[in-house]
Amino acid sequence: MEKSRRPQQLAFILLFGLWLPCCLTQTTPSNSKLKVRLAGYPRKHNEGRIELFYKGEWGTICDDDFSLANANVLCRQLGFVSATGWTHSAKYGKGQGKIWLDNVQCGGGEKSIELCKSRGWGNSDCTHDEDAGVVCKDERIPGFVDSNVIDAHVDENKIEEVRLRPVVAMAKKKMPITEGVVEVKYKDGWAQICDIGWTIKNTRVVCGMLGFPHERKNYFHIHSVACLGTEVHLAACPLEFSKPNATSACTGGMPAVVSCMPGPLFMQNSGLKKKLKISVNNVRLKGGSRVGEGRVEVLKDNEWGTVCDDRWNLQSASVVCRELGFGSAKEALTGGRLGQGMGPIYMNEVKCVGQERSIWNCPFKNITMEDCQHMEDAAVRCNIPYMGLENTIRITGGRTRYEGRVEVLSLDSNGTQSWGLICGESWTTKEAMVACRQLGLGYANQGLQETWYWDSSNVTEMVMSGVKCTGSEMSLSQCQHHKTVSCQKAAAKFAAGVICSETASDLVLNASLVQQTVYIEDRPLHMLYCAAEEDCLSKSAAKANWPYGHRRLLRFSSQIHNIGRADFKPKAGRHSWVWHACHGHYHSMDIFTHYDLLNANGTKVAEGHKASFCLEDTDCQEGVSKRYECANFGDQGITVGCWDLYRHDIDCQWIDITDVKPGNYILQVVINPNYEVAESDFTNNAMKCNCKYDGHRIWLHNCHIGDAFSEEAERRFEKYPGQLNNRIS
Ligand SMILES: *[C@@H]1O[C@H](CO)[C@@H](O)[C@H](O)[C@H]1NC(C)=O
Ligand SMILES: *[C@@H]1O[C@H](CO)[C@@H](O)[C@H](O)[C@H]1NC(C)=O
Ligand SMILES: *[C@@H]1O[C@H](CO)[C@@H](O)[C@H](O)[C@H]1NC(C)=O
Ligand SMILES: *[C@@H]1O[C@H](CO)[C@@H](O)[C@H](O)[C@H]1NC(C)=O
Ligand SMILES: *[C@@H]1O[C@H](CO)[C@@H](O)[C@H](O)[C@H]1NC(C)=O
Ligand SMILES: *[C@@H]1O[C@H](CO)[C@@H](O)[C@H](O)[C@H]1NC(C)=O
């Protein structure tokens, strides 16, 4: 509906920059840019029934004369490099509405399906039993922007960017710049906009594009018309370009000026920041490499779940972005493209208008299990304010632009700015995560404490030490560090380094499987020699009367999924793997998981061995093939979309609870506890259960991933061990 809105009479007049030929207006609401999407079931992000959006309506293509050449054109339009196949006879289910095209015959090189031969729009003798589908190669065209990213108007109006030129001389340029004269990039130049007819809604759109959730009202006197306020890009607002004449460029008007309200994360005034502390807590972004991007998760009944991508668009994505204190959405991503969730899926067909305060206020459909899978999880990339953080950090000496010694810009005693190195002591993956984020280079693959093997022809002095980050900071300057540099090994070869990566793995334990498979075994000592050798028993086992007696073991199965976007591979190369003769395989990581039993105050009462594992793909979700196999010195790792299963009955898959008294405890399993290998999300690495032990039997309850519950539910969970008389049904 909003698509057919006609441009209003009022024009934005370009004051400076490029003058256009008179009145280059877009008066016909041409939605010429065809939209293409995949639909149906069982579909994946790279295959499904083809649907085309034409004349305001979604419709299908008939399979008559369909070919791989057609599929190639469609897959490229969808952002994939090519097609690997196509399907006929409504393989992904029957579509609805129009059958837009029939007897389509592409040559294969066309830019759009519209350019291929066919019977013409809406001319078909088919039924929906003949709907065509495509299977695209799961490889994105680098830099491809989804067709739903920016409305059709954008191309027509050719406005690429917006910026604010600060009004008068604001003494100190503090970041972010929240107010100023609106300037738009047009072709090669920047232009200002006449404020005649400017409205607060236009301001809202501009602020959203610049990364701010709200506009400051009544800041400057402004008048009426044009944007609806729901647009995600200024170019989507009806507007005309007019050639101003010499005497009256914006007669009676001024360049438009706006003032925006930054979200809490970007406020300069920290007092205000505290006061406005993000009040929303029922939506969050997970797994993104940059601030303001990630898989959308929503909270319902104290448990976090995901959003299915059917009809996911920029309007709905913008509601999420603004709700979280960012601007409007830059991209609405589908097909689990920022990683998959594990828990429930709560929403489908979210249809926000754009003004809603929360995604929960938008119309949506509840999910029934068949509707959606996690490979359809929706995600967003939000516009965030320009902070210039990447200007105060750089990396040098590495072999690629993704690695190097970290250097930060600092003031020396004379007040001049200079680059300097960071002390490698105490530098870990967490600090590297912040550095890579600040550099705009994605995730940290590794944080290095020694960098002697890199080019050191131009090394600078050490200017920072004792850096300690929580991992979620936007820049290193927000992390703790020493007031004055104190570094034991101050030479450049011990400077902190990073290897960054655009993608990362994400390991998650299947919590319900742990809960379902738990039991106690009293295992005779004579069967535990190998386990003792691998340090899988508690200390008191050393004093036992071998081979007589037994150990009491808490056993359960661990199924570890890789739901990220890169394979999980051990940090150490195979040359350093350790052969375990007793079990007859190589261990590639010394510490891959911690299994612990904790009491009410968080003290460990029993420690599972620091389990080392032989990593492999036990099985994969449909359509993904196994790549890693432990046996025969095979490659170790876990492929994206696969899992590694440690059955409850294999050696060392337990916690030795021989010395544990009856009571209520918390069972905790942590994967990759020392952040040795890069992951896009470490908050889901711990799994916890309430555990009741009566001296004979054991029960697990509320098993959940570390980030699955609301704060309130987590507090209730933590209290459980204290309630010793809690009855369990
Ligand atoms: C300048 O433009 C205004 C309206 O845009 C018009 O009324 C006026 O006649 C024009 N002046 C000249 C000198 O072309
Ligand atoms: C969705 O489920 C909730 C309860 O979980 C219910 O209140 C709501 O009415 C349902 N909505 C629809 C459209 O079925
Ligand atoms: C600071 O200034 C003094 C005097 O001009 C000079 O000797 C010294 O080298 C300068 N220090 C740095 C770090 O530039
Ligand atoms: C080292 O610095 C010199 C001078 O600034 C520059 O020409 C050279 O390219 C630099 N070398 C490296 C490896 O960066
Ligand atoms: C987790 O384990 C449960 C219980 O065996 C199983 O039903 C479920 O499919 C598993 N989850 C995933 C994501 O594989
Ligand atoms: C925690 O509990 C254990 C016994 O349950 C006790 O020995 C220990 O002192 C407690 N620790 C703290 C810090 O309260």
Side-chain angles (χ1 to χ4, degrees), residues 300-301 346 364-367:
K300 182 172 140 182
D301 301 333
Y346 287 137
F364 66 91
K365 282 194 181 157
N366 284 341
I367 300 285

Side-chain angles (χ1 to χ4, degrees), residues 13 242-251:
I13 301 170
S242 304
K243 183 182 179 182
N245 53 28
T247 54
S248 66
C250 194
T251 311

Side-chain angles (χ1 to χ4, degrees), residues 57-212:
E57 202 180 328
W58 286 101
T60 61
I61 302 183
C62 179
D63 61 12
D64 291 351
D65 286 341
F66 211 83
S67 67
L68 192 63
N70 295 359
N72 267 317
V73 172
L74 287 162
C75 284
R76 279 202 308 276
Q77 249 180 304
L78 286 160
F80 298 94
V81 293
S82 63
T84 59
W86 59 278
T87 65
H88 56 85
S89 311
K91 159 143 192 236
Y92 301 98
K94 293 192 271 185
Q96 287 178 343
K98 290 266 187 348
I99 297 170
W100 275 128
L101 294 175
D102 189 6
N103 300 104
V104 180
Q105 287 169 294
C106 302
E110 292 88 349
K111 279 245 152 63
S112 166
I113 195 79
E114 296 167 277
L115 305 173
C116 302
K117 268 200 289 186
S118 76
R119 293 165 66 130
W121 287 103
N123 184 1
S124 161
D125 56 5
C126 301
T127 66
H128 280 296
D129 287 319
E130 296 159 87
D131 283 345
V134 294
V135 182
C136 303
K137 187 166 183 214
D138 193 4
E139 195 182 323
R140 305 288 301 173
I141 296 171
F144 181 82
V145 183
D146 272 16
S147 65
N148 73 354
V149 165
I150 291 167
D151 260 340
H153 281 293
V154 170
D155 288 345
E156 295 156 8
N157 287 334
K158 300 270 192 311
I159 288 180
E160 293 152 27
E161 264 181 75
V162 172
R163 70 181 183 192
L164 295 183
R165 175 176 294 277
V167 197
V168 286
M170 283 183 204
K172 248 199 209 155
K173 236 211 290 181
K174 269 196 179 171
M175 290 291 180
I177 295 170
T178 57
E179 53 198 36
V181 177
V182 180
E183 298 193 337
V184 296
K185 193 166 187 189
Y186 186 86
K187 291 190 178 157
D188 299 322
W190 289 90
Q192 297 180 338
I193 297 178
C194 182
D195 75 345
I196 296 176
W198 187 261
T199 72
I200 193 78
K201 288 174 175 166
N202 299 357
T203 302
R204 176 176 165 86
V205 174
V206 170
C207 289
M209 287 177 69
L210 291 167
F212 304 110

Side-chain angles (χ1 to χ4, degrees), residues 615-630:
L615 299 170
E616 68 178 3
D617 295 326
T618 308
D619 213 342
C620 303
Q621 66 191 43
E622 210 187 318
V624 181
S625 28
K626 295 197 227 175
R627 230 175 299 167
Y628 302 100
E629 193 171 64
C630 180

